[in-house]
Amino acid sequence: MAITLSASDTASPPLSARLSPPQVWGIALLAPYLLVFLAFVVYPVGYGLWLARQPSSYVALYNDPIFARAAVNTLIFLVIGINIKMLIALFLSGFFAQQRPWIRWLSVIFILPWAVPSIPTILSVRFMLNPEWGVVNQLIFKFTGDDGPNWLNDPAVALAMAIGVHIWKSLPFWTLILLTGRLAISHDLYEASDVDGANWWQKFRYITWPSMQTLYITCTLLSMIWTLGDFNSVYLLTGGGPADLTHVLSTLGIRYLRLDQLSLAMASIVCAMPFVLPLVYFMMKRLSR
């Protein structure tokens, strides 16, 4: 009697036989990157969310007055620092776009704050603002005969200094990005505007800004995402002081870690997600157009 076998009864070939050699090499080369992504991205994020799973952590965080002050400081840091930084970068990109030899040498010096590591540069600013032996107060005493203020003892002044350090440190990078956008604009448009007698403001309004608007908004959104995770400007300059009044959300987690309150540290980081996720959504939506 003849026995017929269905297709499901026949043994399927092994996976290696169904893949072509380029596909096998592709999987082999992608496997290490996938393992690194799982080990250093997925696992830490998942473990942090697991540590912040208790509702009591968010209740304790809400009852901590330092958390409310840190959230307000974060909004101030984002709104003031990023807008000032991006506006200055926009106009400095026009300055460095000029074809003059001395401007090229000046651009090399201008980019140094961004190229140098954050720890020595920000700590040097902190030493300069020392009320007793800092160079800033020494110059004030030399020219006026009066003692300079304690720059980092007032919360408003200390937060303003941290915003200034953040702008000074990251300004060269965004200026360079916007400079590439300016250089991509056709020079024929500016030559035609010269023939029509347009001034510099009309050139910027009708040629430069429409050509760079998408790049500027995308850079602003990306800068906001990076700034939310930047703790160097505040932590290295003020340490969150005085009296923990200059903390932002990124440094508040470090404060809780130093107090061995790991669940509160993770909860404070999770509370920053409502700031980050909308920014990521809008940035990806603009990039997908």
Side-chain angles (χ1 to χ4, degrees), residues 233-252:
S233 302
V234 175
Y235 191 76
L236 295 178
L237 185 66
T238 68
D244 294 326
L245 295 177
T246 59
H247 274 297
V248 292
L249 290 178
S250 58
T251 61
L252 187 62

Side-chain angles (χ1 to χ4, degrees), residues 167-186:
I167 294 174
W168 168 71
K169 189 75 176 64
S170 57
L171 182 62
F173 174 78
W174 297 112
T175 303
L176 183 62
I177 297 298
L178 295 179
L179 176 60
T180 59
R182 279 184 180 268
L183 296 178
I185 302 174
S186 176

Side-chain angles (χ1 to χ4, degrees), residues 144-160:
T144 65
D146 297 328
D147 294 331
N150 193 341
W151 299 98
L152 303 179
N153 195 41
D154 183 89
V157 177
L159 185 62

Side-chain angles (χ1 to χ4, degrees), residues 60-188:
L61 195 66
Y62 177 79
N63 294 327
D64 190 353
I66 299 177
F67 170 74
R69 182 63 182 255
V72 173
N73 290 341
T74 303
L75 288 175
I76 294 174
F77 204 100
L78 292 177
V79 173
I80 297 178
I82 293 177
N83 285 291
I84 293 177
K85 172 182 63 179
M86 297 307 297
L87 285 175
I88 296 176
L90 179 62
F91 288 101
L92 282 180
S93 63
F95 171 76
F96 287 111
Q98 302 179 65
Q99 300 295 327
R100 298 179 182 179
W102 65 273
I103 291 181
R104 295 180 182 178
W105 288 105
L106 184 62
S107 63
V108 175
I109 301 175
F110 175 73
I111 207 172
L112 286 178
W114 172 70
V116 178
S118 299
I119 294 178
T121 53
I122 298 178
L123 288 181
S124 65
V125 175
R126 181 172 181 172
F127 294 150
M128 291 170 61
L129 297 176
N130 187 281
E132 297 180 0
W133 40 265
V135 65
V136 175
N137 282 3
Q138 288 184 0
L139 291 175
I140 292 176
F141 181 80
K142 180 179 180 180
F143 290 106
T144 65
D146 297 328
D147 294 331
N150 193 341
W151 299 98
L152 303 179
N153 195 41
D154 183 89
V157 177
L159 185 62
M161 290 295 174
I163 294 174
V165 168
H166 170 76
I167 294 174
W168 168 71
K169 189 75 176 64
S170 57
L171 182 62
F173 174 78
W174 297 112
T175 303
L176 183 62
I177 297 298
L178 295 179
L179 176 60
T180 59
R182 279 184 180 268
L183 296 178
I185 302 174
S186 176
H187 192 67
D188 296 337

